[in-house]
Amino acid sequence: MSQEIENVQACDDRHADAALRIAPVVLAGGSGSRLWPMSREQFPKQLIGIVGPASLLQSTVQRLRDFAGARDVAAAPIVVCGDDHRFVTAEQLQASGAQARIIAEPARRGTAPALTLAALAACASSGDAIVVAMPADHAIADTPAFQRAIERAADHAERGAVVTLGVPPVRPDTGFGYVRLGAALGDGAHRIGRFVEKPAEELAAQYVASGEYWWNSGIFVVRASVWLDTLERLQPEMHEACVAAFANGRGDGPFFRPALEDFERSPSDSIDYAVMEHLGSDATPAQGVVVPLEAGWSDLGSWDAVWDALDKDADGNVARGRVVFEGATASLAHSEGRLVACVGVTNVVVVETDDAVLVVDRSRVQDVKGVVERIKAGHGPEANTHRKVRRPWGYYDSIDQGERFQVKRIVVQPGARLSLQLHHHRAEHWIVVRGTALVVRGDEQFLLSENESTFIPLGIQHRLENPGKVPLEIIEVQSGSYLGEDDIVRFDDTYGRA
């Protein structure tokens, strides 16, 4: 790691004749509670195929893989995600063929520290690069137009500007922040006048009518060295904490894990508040530039935005999954299993999952976040997890539960294994329905084939492993006085979990 830190310190000493290459950075730390019940705390919207078969994370990484511009693009994008989501993030990136560098944030500190870690990683690997920081949970319909905007932004960034992509608005919208345009720069870009918070409806209409405001897309383009220098000038405490967290971090398989104690010292703040709103001041020589993005962009920040981004039938309806419309108009219905029938409704959103159903008027979709807060206040598990829960070894699906029992379907990927563990309050029965299981139970170790079963008594160390070439599927019946997931005492874990 010492050599990498030397590279970071020398980041702004690189003066190559060739254009700086682009380092794609994907910020994947959001929770997306407004898209509940599909998006949840432990499986947020960037990991879900909201508008297509690929997840939003996979689609975001793909946008710069086949870059058509004149610049080289780093083969391995940098993905910054929460520590809790690192395994499923790695799984999705591997499935999409992306050889990404994953930085697992040990704590939530906002987008500014996340971008700082990515800039440090970019400097450590290449000396300097033009960082293109993209939220992982947006949709862009026209990838070539997006790439052209990035190429234009990169030209400004190479000359030392901190660039954001602004979306010329097609309607007044109270769900977006806005950028007021400053002086024109001759290529469609402008100096940044100022940033504006999400406005009330009347004010948003005034912004759009004036032609002087663009939506703030949250996509930023900046030289890694310029970002680090600007942050050090404006937010020295954040800069120091992030540099220390990076210097004292460690590699962990496919992940880089910044030091927790150092990273927790960083103030929590967004890119806009920490840096963008201060550009052009006496505190920093860096100038802010906004480049137009006209590529069918959506932040997918609500179910209404999802409806707007998807193709509709002649009545303005969007159907996903097993859905039937009868006399319905301007509605969205999403089913993950059961048949959803919408009759005579207008402007509604219906979302069906295994354990929750949402019905909301499209004019009130911003209030879904409040529903999630109420579920959390009542300690409802539906706010945080789906019935189907991903784990680094596979997943489990809670099929049924009642007083003193719970039934799960457990799928373990080939070569994967659960931790060596015990439970203080429950016993478990395992029935193999597909594949072969290698079971550790106390001092015993044995194989189970299809249609064979075993019993794990309360308080006995045990482990389940898949030694085969096909997924292992078992039915687990738990019984006992307490069946929560926190009744797990781990003695050994392949994936480094506590």
Side-chain angles (χ1 to χ4, degrees):
M1 185 57 68
S2 60
Q3 182 60 53
E4 290 191 349
I5 296 305
E6 290 177 9
N7 290 343
V8 169
Q9 293 168 343
C11 188
D12 55 2
D13 294 335
R14 181 183 184 275
H15 298 289
D17 294 331
L20 289 175
R21 72 172 182 169
I22 287 175
V25 170
V26 179
L27 304 178
S31 60
S33 59
R34 288 185 178 87
L35 292 186
W36 183 89
M38 285 189 66
S39 176
R40 310 207 185 171
E41 190 80 17
Q42 295 301 316
F43 203 74
K45 72 172 183 175
Q46 65 265 22
L47 302 175
I48 299 170
I50 296 288
V51 294
S55 73
L56 297 177
L57 169 67
Q58 291 169 324
S59 297
T60 302
V61 169
Q62 182 65 36
R63 285 186 196 117
L64 285 177
R65 290 182 68 183
D66 301 318
F67 188 64
R71 298 173 182 275
D72 291 333
V73 177
I78 300 168
V79 177
V80 186
C81 69
D83 191 67
D84 289 346
H85 304 140
R86 68 187 189 277
F87 292 111
V88 67
T89 296
E91 179 184 332
Q92 289 200 358
L93 293 172
Q94 183 178 20
S96 67
Q99 301 300 314
R101 293 175 287 171
I102 302 174
I103 299 175
E105 288 183 293
R108 289 187 178 182
R109 285 297 180 267
T111 55
L115 177 53
T116 304
L117 292 175
L120 290 165
C123 281
S125 63
S126 64
D128 200 359
I130 294 176
V131 169
V132 178
M134 305 168 285
D137 55 359
H138 291 184
I140 291 177
D142 188 343
T143 297
F146 168 76
Q147 293 180 353
R148 289 192 295 270
I150 293 298
E151 183 74 15
R152 186 184 304 176
D155 290 339
H156 288 280
E158 186 154 26
R159 295 192 292 268
V162 184
V163 187
T164 186
L165 300 191
V167 180
V170 296
R171 64 182 182 278
D173 198 305
T174 61
F176 301 144
Y178 287 71
V179 180
R180 184 173 185 177
L181 307 182
L185 298 177
D187 61 350
H190 291 257
R191 293 289 184 196
I192 292 175
R194 64 187 177 96
F195 286 86
V196 180
E197 288 296 317
K198 298 175 182 179
E201 187 171 350
E202 183 178 348
L203 191 55
Q206 294 176 16
Y207 288 164
V208 174
S210 74
E212 298 177 356
Y213 293 83
W214 290 346
W215 292 336
N216 180 10
S217 73
I219 300 171
F220 300 93
V221 183
V222 60
R223 282 178 58 173
S225 58
V226 169
W227 173 263
L228 294 173
D229 176 71
T230 303
L231 188 79
E232 186 174 20
R233 293 169 184 266
L234 295 173
Q235 308 291 342
E237 184 181 356
M238 181 184 296
H239 179 273
E240 186 278 328
C242 290
V243 169
F246 188 81
N248 297 321
R250 61 183 176 87
D252 180 13
F255 312 111
F256 178 76
R257 307 185 72 177
L260 171 61
E261 184 175 343
D262 294 312
F263 195 63
E264 284 186 324
R265 289 191 287 104
S266 172
S268 180
D269 211 345
S270 69
I271 294 169
D272 288 342
Y273 285 136
V275 171
M276 300 302 293
E277 293 187 352
H278 306 285
L279 295 176
S281 67
D282 294 338
T284 174
Q287 294 294 318
V289 171
V290 56
V291 168
L293 173 64
E294 298 180 273
W297 169 88
S298 173
D299 75 339
L300 300 177
S302 68
W303 283 113
D304 189 47
V306 174
W307 173 86
D308 190 55
L310 292 171
D311 293 334
K312 302 163 191 63
D313 65 18
D315 295 315
N317 296 316
V318 174
R320 302 196 72 198
R322 299 185 64 213
V323 172
V324 175
F325 289 114
E326 181 66 33
T329 57
S331 296
L332 182 153
H334 176 99
S335 168
E336 297 203 341
R338 290 168 289 185
L339 176 65
V340 173
C342 298
V343 181
V345 296
T346 299
N347 292 326
V348 300
V349 173
V350 181
V351 182
E352 180 270 346
T353 66
D354 289 332
D355 59 351
V357 177
L358 169 70
V359 181
V360 58
D361 190 287
R362 280 182 42 222
S363 67
R364 299 287 301 276
V365 292
Q366 296 294 338
D367 296 339
V368 172
K369 186 174 183 179
V371 171
V372 176
E373 293 302 318
R374 291 182 63 180
I375 296 171
K376 286 183 179 180
H379 305 289
E382 295 86 358
N384 296 316
T385 61
H386 290 271
R387 202 185 78 173
K388 182 178 179 179
V389 177
R390 273 77 174 179
R391 289 289 186 258
W393 42 260
Y395 66 86
Y396 69 82
D397 186 358
S398 297
I399 299 171
D400 194 13
Q401 59 184 340
E403 186 177 355
R404 296 184 63 86
F405 83 89
Q406 183 170 218
V407 182
K408 291 182 177 180
R409 173 174 170 256
I410 297 176
V411 176
V412 184
Q413 297 301 322
R417 63 179 183 174
L418 283 66
S419 60
L420 180 65
Q421 58 185 254
L422 64 75
H423 312 292
H424 290 301
H425 302 285
R426 72 174 185 248
E428 297 172 340
H429 297 256
W430 293 346
I431 305 167
V432 177
V433 296
R434 183 188 182 198
T436 300
L438 176 61
V439 178
V440 172
R441 183 180 61 187
D443 296 329
E444 305 174 84
Q445 180 172 300
F446 53 91
L447 293 172
L448 291 178
S449 299
E450 294 181 8
N451 297 318
E452 295 183 333
S453 63
T454 192
F455 172 64
I456 309 296
L458 181 151
I460 298 296
Q461 286 190 23
H462 59 279
R463 166 176 262 156
L464 178 65
E465 182 175 346
N466 181 0
K469 303 296 184 183
V470 300
L472 165 66
E473 183 175 343
I474 75 167
I475 300 300
E476 175 183 86
V477 181
Q478 303 175 355
S479 59
S481 58
Y482 179 74
L483 306 175
E485 283 300 301
D486 53 348
D487 181 25
I488 297 177
V489 180
R490 290 193 176 99
F491 298 92
D492 176 68
D493 184 59
T494 303
Y495 312 103
R497 295 170 296 174

